[in-house]
Amino acid sequence: MVEPRRGRGPVIGVSLGAPIIATFGWRALFWFQLVLIVVAFVVVSIVLPKRRGLDHEEAEKKSRARREFKEMDWIGSWSLSIAVTAVMLGLSIGPSVGWTSVWCLATFVLSVVMTGAFVHRIRTAEHPLIPAEYFHRRNFVMPMVLRGAANFAYFGAFFLFPLLMEQGYGYSIAHVGALAIARPITFSLCSPIAGYVAVRIGERVSAIAGATFPHGVARALRPPATEFGHVGRRHRARAVGSRHGVAMPSTSSVMANEVKTNEFGVMSAAQMLAMQVGEVAGIQVLETVQQALVRRHGLIHAKPGPALLNTFHLPFLIGACVGALGLFASLFMRSIPRERSKKTLVRDL
């Protein structure tokens, strides 16, 4: 299972975003996104068929869908939704209202309570949202840990990179975009290739190799003393993108192999949840740490230079440490036995 599509969005976004902002300003970027959404809606409405199959097949599908809808664990579903929404809201408002404020703490407490309710429903509900047995399988749990930790480091560092180049070195928006694009381009190129390589060397080896990228992030934070260092930073960005791209297809493969074919939706939802929570947490936490250091040292109105540059060391180090958790999780993954995987697929079908 490969993921060539996930890396294309950042490539296009970075390529077009920087010149649009430099020419028309930030608001134009959001109007441009609105146009893209409208275009996507029109294309989907025209291209995707309204129905598939014969009349009796459609009737059977609708009947099965209604039955599954009624049997769905709505308490568990709402518990998980509220838990994720609460933690993301807390991470979003924490930098502005304060991490120890009543509202911020209340969101985290609500998230913990709702998570407890979700776990209870998994263990007791007749038709749980995610079958409890999956949480006893290392190839289901560890890829989610790897995804969450890796996205924390990857997207946290990806978000801070433009600030680093602007505040630390005084680069323009267009120049920052030209540098930053190296990472998503490499990611988009490596992901499909890594999916095929993983079949040859095993998903575990591929995931371990890809999960080592946080240590490259930590080294990339050393402030270069010469312009050659800035050029080298682009090569390091490519290395980070390639390592991240190598790890992701393997996690999808091993998780998909753990579930039945009719439960791929469960696997995808769990995987996406871990990824999105990691993304939001990485961006908010690393940004908050960096801005706290700026305020502590009285650098709010400071010009780009070494003083501001030093405020980025700790955030990137935190990202590297969390990313190392993903490396630890990858050690417990198991590669897919090819013969067994074929038999399992035939059995499920």
Side-chain angles (χ1 to χ4, degrees):
M1 181 177 293
V2 297
E3 298 181 339
R5 298 182 297 275
R6 185 168 174 80
R8 295 177 184 174
V11 173
I12 298 174
V14 174
S15 302
L16 299 180
I20 289 175
I21 294 172
T23 306
F24 303 103
W26 282 98
R27 290 188 177 182
L29 186 63
F30 291 97
W31 284 110
F32 183 72
Q33 290 179 353
L34 178 61
V35 173
L36 291 179
I37 293 174
V38 173
V39 171
F41 177 79
V42 173
V43 171
V44 168
S45 300
I46 296 174
V47 174
L48 294 184
K50 295 182 179 180
R51 53 180 295 175
R52 300 178 65 180
L54 302 176
D55 291 340
H56 71 278
E57 294 175 339
E58 289 293 318
E60 183 180 352
K61 290 180 182 178
K62 291 181 179 179
S63 176
R64 183 170 62 252
R66 283 192 291 265
R67 184 173 63 254
E68 293 176 351
F69 184 81
K70 293 179 180 179
E71 295 176 348
M72 184 175 175
D73 179 22
W74 288 104
I75 297 178
S77 178
W78 279 106
S79 299
L80 179 60
S81 299
I82 295 174
V84 174
T85 302
V87 72
M88 289 191 172
L89 178 62
L91 292 171
S92 299
I93 67 176
S96 57
V97 304
W99 294 102
T100 57
S101 66
V102 175
W103 289 108
C104 186
L105 292 177
T107 59
F108 291 133
V109 171
L110 177 61
S111 178
V112 171
V113 173
M114 290 296 100
T115 301
F118 173 67
V119 173
H120 176 72
R121 294 298 300 179
I122 286 178
R123 299 171 62 115
T124 60
E126 183 177 359
H127 300 284
L129 192 63
I130 303 177
E133 62 177 294
Y134 289 150
F135 291 98
H136 297 285
R137 301 180 183 180
R138 65 171 67 181
N139 270 10
F140 186 87
V141 176
M142 293 305 168
M144 286 199 299
V145 176
L146 172 57
R147 286 248 174 175
N151 277 24
F152 183 102
Y154 182 85
F155 283 94
F158 191 70
F159 182 84
L160 284 184
F161 182 78
L163 301 179
L164 170 68
M165 302 309 293
E166 291 179 30
Q167 298 179 11
Y169 303 110
Y171 278 29
S172 65
I173 295 177
H175 198 173
V176 171
L179 288 174
I181 196 175
R183 182 185 299 189
I185 283 180
T186 311
F187 178 36
S188 64
L189 293 176
C190 287
S191 287
I193 298 174
Y196 297 104
V197 172
V199 176
R200 300 292 183 182
I201 66 176
E203 287 77 11
R204 182 175 181 271
V205 176
S206 179
I208 292 174
T212 59
F213 85 91
H215 306 289
V217 175
R219 292 198 306 272
L221 258 292
R222 298 174 183 172
T226 64
E227 184 64 24
F228 176 76
H230 303 319
V231 177
R233 190 174 298 278
R234 176 181 291 180
H235 297 302
R236 292 173 184 174
R238 291 194 185 101
V240 172
S242 64
R243 292 168 186 168
H244 194 62
V246 166
M248 295 304 100
S250 293
T251 60
S252 297
S253 297
V254 295
M255 285 189 71
N257 193 63
E258 289 298 311
V259 302
K260 298 178 181 178
T261 53
N262 61 347
E263 292 180 339
F264 277 170
V266 173
M267 180 274 297
S268 298
Q271 191 178 91
M272 191 63 65
L273 175 64
M275 292 168 57
Q276 292 180 346
V277 171
E279 291 176 16
V280 175
I283 292 172
Q284 292 296 338
V285 171
L286 298 192
E287 180 197 14
T288 299
V289 172
Q290 192 270 333
Q291 291 299 313
L293 292 174
V294 169
R295 290 191 295 269
R296 178 184 297 179
H297 294 91
L299 301 173
I300 297 178
H301 301 292
K303 294 182 179 180
L308 280 173
L309 189 62
N310 289 332
T311 63
F312 289 90
H313 284 278
L314 181 59
F316 276 83
L317 182 59
I318 293 174
C321 291
V322 176
L325 177 63
L327 174 59
F328 180 76
S330 68
L331 298 176
F332 293 90
M333 289 173 51
R334 292 174 178 170
S335 296
I336 301 173
R338 296 301 161 196
E339 293 301 322
R340 180 178 142 192
S341 65
K342 293 179 182 178
K343 294 178 181 179
T344 301
L345 180 60
V346 173
R347 180 195 64 196
D348 292 340
L349 292 176

